Amino acid sequence: MNQSKDNQFSDRLETAAKAREAMLARYRSRPAADDPAVVARQAERQAVIEAREERNKEREAARLAAEVQRIAEAKAQREFEAAEVLRIAAEKAERQAALAAEQKEARDARFAARKLRARK
């Protein structure tokens, strides 16, 4: 069986202890919260967050404006269609009134002609 050179229990314990010490040393060497580099990074992050929020607000405002525009266009279209229906109905009523007037004139002319024939 092939055995690695760190196969001894004490060697493994020593390696784990060194790794823990390295992690602890890296944690301790971390800059404090009031370090200028940390403060600068936090300010940059905050600026990025604020810019993202601003872009989201602008997108939302643009989306709402587009929605309002779409609703206004739909309303204008419905109003135009309603006006068109009213115009067509008015034209139809006007044509029917003109047709009724023509028919009445023709009927009156026939009646008058019949009376003239009857008088002769």
Side-chain angles (χ1 to χ4, degrees):
M1 191 183 215
N2 194 5
Q3 295 181 346
S4 66
K5 68 177 180 180
D6 286 337
N7 202 15
Q8 299 296 322
F9 183 69
S10 61
D11 291 339
R12 290 190 307 245
L13 284 177
E14 185 179 329
T15 304
K18 285 180 184 177
R20 277 194 302 274
E21 281 298 319
M23 286 186 349
L24 187 59
R26 195 171 60 230
Y27 177 76
R28 286 185 181 150
S29 69
R30 197 179 75 186
D34 60 350
D35 188 28
V38 172
V39 171
R41 274 197 314 265
Q42 287 176 344
E44 288 174 11
R45 287 180 187 146
Q46 188 63 30
V48 168
I49 289 169
E50 289 172 0
R52 183 181 308 127
E53 289 175 356
E54 184 66 28
R55 286 191 310 269
N56 287 342
K57 287 179 185 177
E58 289 173 0
R59 266 191 238 119
E60 183 67 17
R63 186 189 65 78
L64 289 175
E67 182 71 16
V68 166
Q69 179 68 22
R70 187 189 63 78
I71 290 170
E73 288 174 357
K75 183 179 178 183
Q77 181 66 26
R78 284 191 307 270
E79 289 174 356
F80 173 76
E81 289 170 357
E84 189 68 17
V85 166
L86 289 175
R87 185 188 62 79
I88 290 171
E91 286 178 358
K92 184 177 179 182
E94 189 177 308
R95 281 193 312 269
Q96 287 177 344
L99 180 62
E102 287 177 18
Q103 289 174 344
K104 184 177 184 323
E105 286 179 21
R107 186 175 60 241
D108 289 346
R110 284 192 314 266
F111 182 71
R114 193 168 53 232
K115 279 200 163 217
L116 278 177
R117 278 193 310 261
R119 287 187 188 165
K120 287 186 180 180

